[in-house]
């Protein structure tokens, strides 16, 4: 074979391999885009609010939980972020880097669902979730019996549980992440009695502590019925009637099904100085 023919053959072979790689890359990107699309469509439950799903899932856990899905603090006697001590630290570049690990219990698709939920924080706030290398403080996402998290940064390894059978919904993932960032439930904020009525007669007396008001930092923001952190109307109800009624308009919708509201995002940016 002549030198010119050999050179032509090598060029054709190289072009063929390049096209093959390009096609493979296009397929991978297409698959990832389809996963994102599927996740987005699946993570909008059409009939059950976030709290109902969380409380139902947490019936199986033996963890000591406050307000339904907050792990009881190990070092404090109240679920409160004391000043700045429970906040995740901001780096010199202005970003709040939160190391995390994900248990091998989850499938690739389930991990993609978590990534999809985290993308909102990356695009709308200064929060950045980064895979842990050797950082001491970090979040460990695991599939335990229920959906729950600690309140804010606790120090060391802290579990954020997303049970594979009941917690892997876009809104629930963000709900528990917000707890890990230091946010409590909307209906327990200090000024809640101006905006909702707690119907104690419809709540099991042994569960009433879940509705106690907390001394919260409301960041000078309005009460948000649409917050992803707001309980649904019948949370902890013993008779199917409302445990929470909005005032003055009882017809206001509460009980999220989607993702973070405008004020949820705004509060993250205020709390962390984004």
């Amino acid at each position: 074979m002549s030198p010119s023919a050999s050179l032509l053959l090598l060029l054709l072979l190289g072009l063929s391999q390049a096209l093959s790689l390009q096609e493979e890359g296009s397929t991978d990107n297409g698959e990832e885009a389809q996963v994102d699309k599927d996740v987005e469509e699946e993570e909008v439950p059409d009939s059950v609010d976030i709290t109902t799903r969380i409380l139902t899932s947490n019936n199986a856990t033996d963890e000591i939980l406050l307000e339904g899905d907050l792990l009881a603090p190990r070092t404090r006697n109240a679920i409160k972020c004391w000043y700045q001590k429970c906040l995740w630290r901001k780096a010199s570049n202005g970003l709040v880097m939160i190391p995390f690990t994900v248990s091998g219990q989850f499938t690739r698709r389930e991990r993609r669902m978590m990534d999809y939920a985290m993308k909102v924080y990356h695009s709308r706030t200064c929060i950045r979730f980064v895979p842990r290398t050797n950082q001491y403080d970090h979040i460990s996402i695991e599939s335990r019996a229920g959906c729950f998290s600690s309140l804010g940064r606790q120090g060391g390894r802290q579990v954020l549980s997303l049970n594979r059978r009941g917690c892997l919904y876009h809104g629930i993932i963000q709900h528990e992440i917000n707890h890990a960032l230091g946010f409590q439930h909307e209906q327990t904020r200090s000024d809640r009695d101006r905006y909702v009525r707690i119907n104690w007669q419809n709540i099991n007396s042994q569960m009433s502590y879940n509705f106690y008001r907390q001394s919260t930092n409301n960041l000078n923001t309005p009460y948000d019925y649409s917050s992803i952190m707001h309980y649904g109307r019948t949370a902890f109800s013993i008779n199917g009637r409302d445990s929470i009624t909005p005032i003055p308009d009882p017809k206001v919708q509460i009980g999220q099904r989607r993702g973070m509201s405008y004020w949820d995002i705004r509060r993250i940016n205020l709390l962390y100085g984004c």
Side-chain angles (χ1 to χ4, degrees):
M1 184 180 293
S2 66
S4 59
S6 298
L7 179 60
L8 179 60
L9 182 60
L10 288 172
L11 288 173
L12 290 173
L13 180 60
L15 179 61
S16 174
Q17 290 175 338
L19 288 173
S20 176
L21 288 173
Q22 184 177 11
E23 288 173 0
E24 288 177 7
S26 299
T27 300
D28 289 343
N29 291 336
E31 287 178 354
E32 289 186 359
Q34 185 61 43
V35 169
D36 280 350
K37 184 175 184 296
D38 290 347
V39 167
E40 183 176 11
E41 290 175 352
E42 288 178 5
E43 299 321 304
V44 184
D46 59 356
S47 61
V48 181
D49 63 78
I50 285 173
T51 354
T52 300
R53 289 191 184 277
I54 290 175
L55 297 180
T56 300
S57 295
N58 289 355
N59 285 334
T61 186
D62 57 0
E63 298 280 358
I64 300 176
L65 301 176
L66 305 175
E67 294 186 19
D69 67 337
L70 278 169
L71 277 172
R74 298 188 303 269
T75 58
R76 302 193 299 269
N77 59 5
I79 48 173
K80 179 178 180 180
C81 282
W82 293 102
Y83 302 101
Q84 302 296 313
K85 292 184 178 179
C86 78
L87 300 186
W88 295 87
R89 298 185 180 92
K90 183 183 289 187
S92 58
N93 62 2
L95 299 177
V96 180
M97 314 298 283
I98 303 180
F100 74 98
T101 60
V102 178
S103 169
Q105 300 164 289
F106 298 102
T107 66
R108 175 180 176 273
R109 185 178 187 82
E110 290 165 346
R111 292 173 67 101
R112 291 283 298 170
M113 293 168 69
M114 299 174 203
D115 290 341
Y116 183 82
M118 291 177 180
K119 282 182 180 178
V120 179
Y121 296 87
H122 294 181
S123 63
R124 307 289 296 278
T125 76
C126 61
I127 304 296
R128 298 292 185 274
F129 296 98
V130 296
R132 177 183 181 244
T133 52
N134 59 356
Q135 298 93 334
Y136 179 70
D137 293 351
H138 67 282
I139 293 173
S140 176
I141 302 177
E142 304 174 12
S143 177
R144 296 196 179 184
C147 330
F148 53 82
S149 171
S150 302
L151 182 67
R153 178 178 59 84
Q154 298 291 307
R157 170 179 165 273
Q158 61 186 72
V159 172
L160 189 158
S161 175
L162 295 172
N163 184 271
R164 294 182 60 203
R165 295 190 176 184
C167 307
L168 287 176
Y169 292 87
H170 184 72
I172 291 179
I173 295 170
Q174 291 187 339
H175 180 103
E176 299 305 337
I177 287 176
N178 272 19
H179 279 321
L181 292 177
F183 291 94
Q184 294 178 223
H185 293 117
E186 188 75 357
Q187 78 286 336
T188 61
R189 61 183 264 171
S190 55
D191 62 349
R192 66 97 186 276
D193 289 340
R194 295 164 53 190
Y195 305 98
V196 295
R197 181 177 67 250
I198 306 302
N199 302 308
W200 302 102
Q201 72 278 10
N202 297 334
I203 302 168
N204 185 327
S205 59
Q206 295 181 343
M207 297 288 108
S208 60
Y209 66 88
N210 291 297
F211 293 87
Y212 292 166
R213 284 184 303 162
Q214 304 294 326
S215 177
T216 55
N217 176 6
N218 300 324
L219 300 166
N220 294 316
T221 61
Y223 191 91
D224 185 11
Y225 295 107
S226 65
S227 171
I228 201 170
M229 307 308 291
H230 206 300
Y231 271 6
R233 287 178 177 271
T234 59
F236 291 102
S237 173
I238 56 174
N239 52 21
R241 298 177 181 175
D242 286 0
S243 53
I244 306 171
T245 302
I247 53 177
D249 182 2
K251 295 182 180 180
V252 170
Q253 181 176 346
I254 61 174
Q256 263 267 21
R257 293 182 176 83
R258 292 180 177 267
M260 289 189 291
S261 70
Y262 166 83
W263 285 112
D264 286 327
I265 294 170
R266 178 68 177 146
R267 286 170 186 165
I268 294 171
N269 288 323
L270 286 171
L271 185 64
Y272 282 92
C274 297

